[in-house]
Amino acid sequence: MDNIIRIAVQKSGRLSDDSLSLIKECGIKFYNGTGKLKSTATNFPIEFLFLRDDDIPGYVADGVADIGIVGENEMVEKDKQVTVVKKLGFSKCRLSLAIPKSKHYQNLQDFQGASIATSYPKILQQFLDKNKIKADIHEISGSVEIAPSIGLADAICDIVSSGSTLMMNGLKEVEEIFKSEAVLISHQNLSTEKQDILERLLFRINAVQTGKNNKYLLLNAPNDSLQEIVSLIPGMKSPTILPLAEEGWSSVHAVVNEDRFWEVIENLRAAGAQGILVVPIEKMVI
Ligand code: PRT
Ligand code: ZN
């Protein structure tokens, strides 16, 4: 069926909520009751497959699903033929090497001849090869962090986010080997019709993401500082300036990028801006 695109998303886990929120923020309506494996949107030509994240790269490579949302770690580890369409900015984490806290760590050479437990043997092997380290990889599918304490391995290579799992298991992170976030992937040969639907979806995702990265700023400025205040605002284009009812004052409206946000506010205040309001932007098309 070329008039609909099929997306694979994680059924339940760390990626599910953010994946589905993103789709909803794109204005796409669908029902995903518990236990459902498939669902079709009511107002956009998209069908959902709810799967384990491990299966998503394979389904997309085989064309069972046209696109999918998965962690880069899983995508690289599975090593399937898929295209990365877009980084999505959520489920950020890293894959790191960790050793018992009590052990002294000098450098990567400490892993020479060591045994390392991991669920990511491919990514780890590539890293070790690149650094000319010969180590013994033990592939295990879960609870990797207990491997050193039960004598299964000298070290582990696992996903780290806050670091608290490592700490609770008496381990310390010594080398980060891979950075990951959720990505939108696609089948390598989408039909023109499906490619068009993907473009429409991407247009919406970009609008949602750009909106999140920017804030709408409103402030009052005395007219004699107006020029300086306007020069401090790095806007999309030039800001909107409206006269206030009070003589000698203007209202300035502009869009400011979140990265520079506090710095801009501080400078504006110093230049005499008052009544500064910051409003979230739901969607932004540039
Ligand atoms: O059932 P299914 O196979 O679908 O899910 P899963 O259990 O294999 O994966 P899931 O839901 O745990 O994670 C999905 C994806 O989320 C991963 O592939 C990563 O891309 C991303 N992600 C982000 C994480 C984490 N953060 C994370 N903290 N995946 C796993 N963890 C685990 C990690 O394995 C370790 O046990 O959390 C622990 C470490 O967390 P901190 O915060 O204590 O450091
Ligand atoms: Zn999984």
Side-chain angles (χ1 to χ4, degrees):
M1 276 217 296
D2 272 342
N3 55 357
I4 192 161
I5 202 165
R6 208 183 232 190
I7 185 169
V9 290
Q10 191 188 27
K11 184 165 165 37
S12 87
R14 288 187 165 86
L15 292 161
S16 328
D17 287 351
D18 286 339
S19 304
L20 296 183
S21 300
L22 177 64
I23 305 279
K24 284 180 185 152
E25 283 168 319
C26 289
I28 296 173
K29 295 195 165 51
F30 59 95
Y31 174 69
N32 69 313
T34 37
K36 265 195 131 208
L37 299 177
K38 253 174 92 170
S39 177
T40 308
T42 52
N43 60 351
F44 193 84
I46 192 165
E47 184 178 61
F48 299 85
L49 288 186
F50 300 107
L51 303 169
R52 285 200 59 187
D53 69 343
D54 311 53
D55 297 331
I56 293 176
Y59 273 55
V60 173
D62 295 346
V64 175
D66 302 306
I67 56 175
I69 297 179
V70 71
E72 277 174 299
N73 51 311
E74 208 56 52
M75 181 196 73
V76 174
E77 182 62 31
K78 290 290 179 289
D79 197 18
K80 302 281 182 191
Q81 297 290 308
V82 295
T83 305
V84 176
V85 181
K86 189 168 177 59
K87 294 197 179 216
L88 297 175
F90 58 83
S91 291
K92 287 191 174 168
C93 57
R94 53 197 189 269
L95 192 59
S96 291
L97 284 162
I99 60 169
K101 227 183 311 194
S102 55
K103 289 220 173 127
H104 178 65
Y105 183 70
Q106 263 182 314
N107 57 37
L108 263 182
Q109 292 306 321
D110 293 10
F111 287 100
Q112 213 63 267
S115 59
I116 310 172
T118 189
S119 308
Y120 297 91
K122 271 198 184 155
I123 301 179
L124 176 58
Q125 190 66 62
Q126 270 173 17
F127 174 83
L128 295 174
D129 289 349
K130 201 176 82 194
N131 289 285
K132 302 193 168 48
I133 305 282
K134 288 217 175 330
D136 183 16
I137 299 179
H138 281 270
E139 182 177 353
I140 49 177
S141 59
S143 305
V144 174
E145 62 279 356
I146 62 163
S149 65
I150 60 170
L152 182 71
D154 303 316
I156 67 163
C157 174
D158 200 12
I159 299 281
V160 183
S161 162
S162 66
S164 65
T165 303
L166 292 183
M167 212 165 71
M168 281 188 317
N169 287 279
L171 300 168
K172 63 179 174 190
E173 186 177 0
V174 291
E175 298 283 345
E176 176 183 304
I177 73 165
F178 187 84
K179 260 192 183 353
S180 177
E181 65 184 82
V183 283
L184 180 68
I185 56 172
S186 91
H187 182 63
Q188 288 194 325
N189 282 309
L190 287 185
S191 66
T192 323
E193 290 89 339
K194 285 183 190 282
Q195 192 66 45
D196 286 347
I197 304 173
L198 176 57
E199 293 300 328
R200 286 176 60 201
L201 179 65
L202 270 178
F203 177 80
R204 296 188 186 194
I205 292 176
N206 287 336
V208 170
Q209 288 193 333
T210 314
K212 275 192 187 151
N213 292 336
N214 288 278
K215 300 275 179 250
Y216 195 71
L217 180 75
L218 301 99
L219 58 86
N220 294 334
N223 286 346
D224 46 15
S225 317
L226 201 53
Q227 232 183 347
E228 187 192 351
I229 286 177
V230 167
S231 73
L232 291 170
I233 303 174
M236 282 206 294
K237 281 199 183 128
S238 63
T240 307
I241 301 172
L242 303 164
L244 283 187
E246 191 179 331
E247 192 69 28
W249 282 79
S250 297
S251 166
V252 180
H253 299 197
V255 172
V256 181
N257 192 283
E258 184 126 78
D259 297 342
R260 296 203 42 208
F261 180 70
W262 285 110
E263 181 195 330
V264 171
I265 299 279
E266 282 159 16
N267 293 341
L268 289 170
R269 247 165 62 89
Q274 292 183 9
I276 302 175
L277 284 185
V278 179
V279 185
I281 298 173
E282 198 179 278
K283 283 159 192 106
M284 184 164 148
V285 178
I286 46 176

